[in-house]
Amino acid sequence: MSQPQLFTPIQLRDVTLRNRVVVPPMHQYSAVDGHATDWHAVNVGRFAAGGAGLVFVESTKVERRGAGTVGDLGLWSDDQIAGHRRLADVIRRSGSVPGLQLGHTGRKARRSRPWEGGGPLVREEAEAEGVGDWDEWEIVAPSPLSSSARSAPPRALTAAEVQEVVRRWADAARRADQAGYDVLEIHGAHGYLIHQFLCPWSNERTDQYGGSEANRMRFAVEVVEAVREVWPAGKPLFLRLSVEDDAGWGPRESVELAKLVGSRGVDVIDCSSGGMKGAPVTGHGPIGYGYQVPYAERTRRESGVKTMAVGLIVHADQAERILQDGRADLIAVGREAMYNPNWALDAALKLGVDDAFARTLPASQSYWLAKRAAAAVGVEPSTYGSGISA
């Protein structure tokens, strides 16, 4: 029996993913002074043990100013490498490939956690949570334009400071390699710093980093070049983009940038949307199953670079159809993986994958579940229906 494409391995440089299921970066806001905690290990471990081929650790900031709120992970210091090494080891030992996203929040910094309102933080609130470097936690951006009416205006980075941020991205990438990650993603989406440079709505510079489309792309390209220089040649590099932001940056521009960075060592474009004026963008219709897949499809077709589809990809047959139709190369399952960390196993069973338990789960789990499946004829897992009376 031929295997579904979702469970066909894919080779990215020297790294082989056992399947096309990816758990994307998802903020947890649970770090302490940028350091990983037990929760991070539990969180990524459950996804890796659940069968995903690639598991990303959440957006990790390349410098202190880049932290969005209290609890952001960091990799701006060598002291933070050990915590990340633990996360990479947990993912790998659980059967998946460990990945890390590196980001910088830019003008969206110093905010409360989303479930606490997401508004601007005040010094007293931050210090009550242990923040002791409020003054160093400066809000910076391409231009002195606030991200919202309630937010404080950022300070515009000088050209020399922009180049220093590029170097810090490279430094963080070097630390990521030392920590043992096999895949790296640069966060260039969702209204954060790289996206702020790309979008004319947030970038009013008149130097080499602003104005023309080529100039606005310069920072992103320089980050890619600097990271690729230190990131091992055998390890894949992803770039996440808001392919459409409804603020002056759209699919055409994203395709052109994908071509530029593809020739400079980016292997996959992670295709998201929104974040500049709000999230998400619904240019292809209302928010529903796979509403962002058209961005991955167009970027892949017109740039020649592999893409990862994201956005309400919930069901196994839906994910398989995206791959079969050539709309993307990888499938990111985020919040659905939170809902069901064993999503990959569930998908493998529903798609009829041979030896589904052994192909997705560690032996300590696959043995018992395969034994139950063989013995308990007519018993369906809880993810298959509403209950025994349904």
Side-chain angles (χ1 to χ4, degrees):
M1 175 182 175
S2 62
Q3 296 290 355
Q5 194 166 336
L6 187 63
F7 289 93
T8 300
I10 183 171
Q11 185 80 23
L12 300 172
R13 296 185 182 252
D14 293 343
V15 175
T16 301
L17 308 184
R18 61 178 174 170
N19 58 54
R20 311 296 180 97
V21 181
V22 180
V23 176
M26 292 181 283
H27 280 110
Q28 298 297 293
Y29 303 117
S30 300
V32 177
D33 294 329
H35 292 265
T37 64
D38 288 346
W39 171 248
H40 294 98
V42 170
N43 189 52
V44 299
R46 62 183 183 150
F47 298 139
L54 170 61
V55 174
F56 276 104
V57 173
E58 68 193 73
S59 181
T60 296
K61 302 310 183 289
V62 301
E63 67 167 357
R64 176 65 181 100
R65 295 180 304 183
T69 190
V70 177
D72 266 17
L73 269 178
L75 202 43
W76 59 76
S77 168
D78 288 351
D79 294 340
Q80 294 161 332
I81 294 174
H84 280 279
R85 184 176 294 119
R86 180 190 181 202
L87 301 185
D89 287 347
V90 165
I91 294 170
R92 185 177 292 105
R93 290 170 182 168
S94 300
S96 187
V97 171
L100 177 71
Q101 185 187 72
L102 290 178
H104 191 302
T105 305
R107 69 181 191 171
K108 286 188 170 184
R110 292 205 314 207
R111 291 187 177 181
S112 63
R113 298 177 180 90
W115 52 88
E116 295 167 348
L121 268 176
V122 297
R123 185 176 193 133
E124 292 74 21
E125 292 173 336
E127 291 179 346
E129 290 210 47
V131 173
D133 58 351
W134 178 262
D135 293 328
E136 289 76 19
W137 191 9
E138 183 185 19
I139 306 175
V140 295
S143 302
L145 302 171
S146 300
S147 59
S148 71
R150 295 188 300 160
S151 300
R155 181 179 66 80
L157 293 162
T158 67
E161 288 175 320
V162 172
Q163 292 161 18
E164 177 58 31
V165 175
V166 170
R167 287 191 290 272
R168 289 177 181 173
W169 231 293
D171 289 341
R174 187 182 297 108
R175 295 184 185 108
D177 179 47
Q178 293 171 2
Y181 290 108
D182 291 330
V183 178
L184 193 65
E185 177 169 278
I186 296 168
H187 199 341
H190 300 166
Y192 298 135
L193 187 64
I194 288 178
H195 189 188
Q196 291 161 25
F197 273 89
L198 294 172
C199 180
W201 194 68
S202 52
N203 183 348
E204 295 183 346
R205 300 177 74 98
T206 58
D207 63 2
Q208 68 267 38
Y209 293 104
S212 70
E213 184 176 298
N215 280 356
R216 286 184 281 108
M217 291 182 182
R218 190 183 306 278
F219 177 57
V221 171
E222 288 183 354
V223 169
V224 167
E225 291 175 335
V227 167
R228 189 74 266 184
E229 186 175 345
V230 301
W231 186 242
K235 293 186 177 184
L237 180 62
F238 289 35
L239 173 63
R240 181 165 236 186
L241 293 178
S242 284
V243 176
E244 174 62 81
D245 67 7
D246 281 349
W249 181 268
R252 182 194 64 77
E253 293 85 354
S254 294
V255 166
E256 293 307 309
L257 179 57
K259 291 176 182 177
L260 286 175
V261 298
S263 67
R264 289 164 169 80
V266 167
D267 302 287
V268 177
I269 302 294
D270 178 0
C271 298
S272 189
S273 69
M276 188 57 68
K277 291 184 176 179
V281 171
T282 56
H284 287 276
I287 300 174
Y289 290 134
Y291 70 100
Q292 294 182 141
V293 174
Y295 302 131
E297 180 180 17
R298 178 173 174 179
T299 303
R300 182 180 191 265
R301 182 180 67 247
E302 297 184 12
S303 73
V305 180
K306 290 182 174 65
T307 62
M308 181 162 72
V310 304
L312 281 178
I313 301 173
V314 175
H315 298 290
D317 57 350
Q318 175 196 10
E320 177 66 13
R321 176 53 57 192
I322 292 167
L323 296 174
Q324 291 287 352
D325 290 347
R327 306 181 75 189
D329 300 275
L330 295 166
I331 300 294
V333 183
R335 295 184 203 188
E336 191 62 20
M338 283 185 173
Y339 184 81
N340 176 13
N342 284 1
W343 188 91
L345 166 64
D346 194 52
L349 290 170
K350 290 174 178 174
L351 293 173
V353 172
D354 296 336
D355 299 321
F357 295 108
R359 288 171 62 92
T360 55
L361 300 185
S364 56
Q365 294 183 8
S366 64
Y367 171 81
W368 298 107
L369 290 177
K371 186 175 182 179
R372 183 184 77 166
V377 178
V379 174
E380 290 187 339
S382 58
T383 53
Y384 278 57
S386 300
I388 60 174
S389 61

